[in-house]
Amino acid sequence: MYTIEENIYESETMKVYGFMVYRKDGRSMPKGVITSFNAYFHPAKYEFDSKTHIEFAVASPTGDSSDHYNYTMPCLDFTQAKSIVDKYREGVEAMMDEYTKKELYS
């Protein structure tokens, strides 16, 4: 019922590591659920100028299907950011498994 799709990209100016979640049938995600979680690394000429952060989106608990809240979380480095993304992915997978069970047996 749900798909978790990887988002991995690398260029000279940016690295991205993360995922997005959506329903296979095109319906909106449940309100308040994480719908994307991505680590970004922007290298610079000097290591201390490099920037790493996580961006994630949550389906609005009060809006329509197109409304999301977007958040940014700074990280120490890309390794840390990817580790955090992996932990959230595990949690989202478990949550989506539970939602799927409830939808199948309701």
Side-chain angles (χ1 to χ4, degrees):
M1 300 192 107
Y2 297 92
T3 296
I4 298 179
E5 187 175 296
E6 286 186 345
N7 183 21
I8 299 174
Y9 171 80
E10 187 170 338
S11 72
E12 291 180 14
T13 60
M14 177 174 60
K15 290 182 184 179
V16 180
Y17 177 84
F19 63 90
M20 60 185 237
V21 185
Y22 56 91
R23 281 184 162 149
K24 293 177 184 179
D25 62 8
R27 292 185 303 138
S28 299
M29 290 293 287
K31 293 179 180 288
V33 169
I34 290 172
T35 56
S36 67
F37 212 91
N38 295 288
Y40 292 88
F41 173 67
H42 301 278
K45 184 175 181 181
Y46 302 104
E47 187 175 339
F48 60 85
D49 285 334
S50 298
K51 295 194 178 7
T52 305
H53 67 279
I54 292 172
E55 292 180 6
F56 62 100
V58 177
S60 172
T62 58
D64 65 22
S65 63
S66 66
D67 286 348
H68 280 77
Y69 288 102
N70 298 297
Y71 300 96
T72 302
M73 179 184 346
C75 296
L76 296 174
D77 56 40
F78 200 51
T79 300
Q80 180 195 47
K82 290 181 355 181
S83 175
I84 293 168
V85 168
D86 288 341
K87 289 173 188 168
Y88 271 88
R89 181 180 177 138
E90 289 176 19
V92 168
E93 285 176 345
M95 184 172 50
M96 292 297 92
D97 286 347
E98 288 302 313
Y99 272 111
T100 299
K101 288 176 192 173
K102 288 179 181 177
E103 289 180 353
L104 289 175
Y105 301 111
S106 315

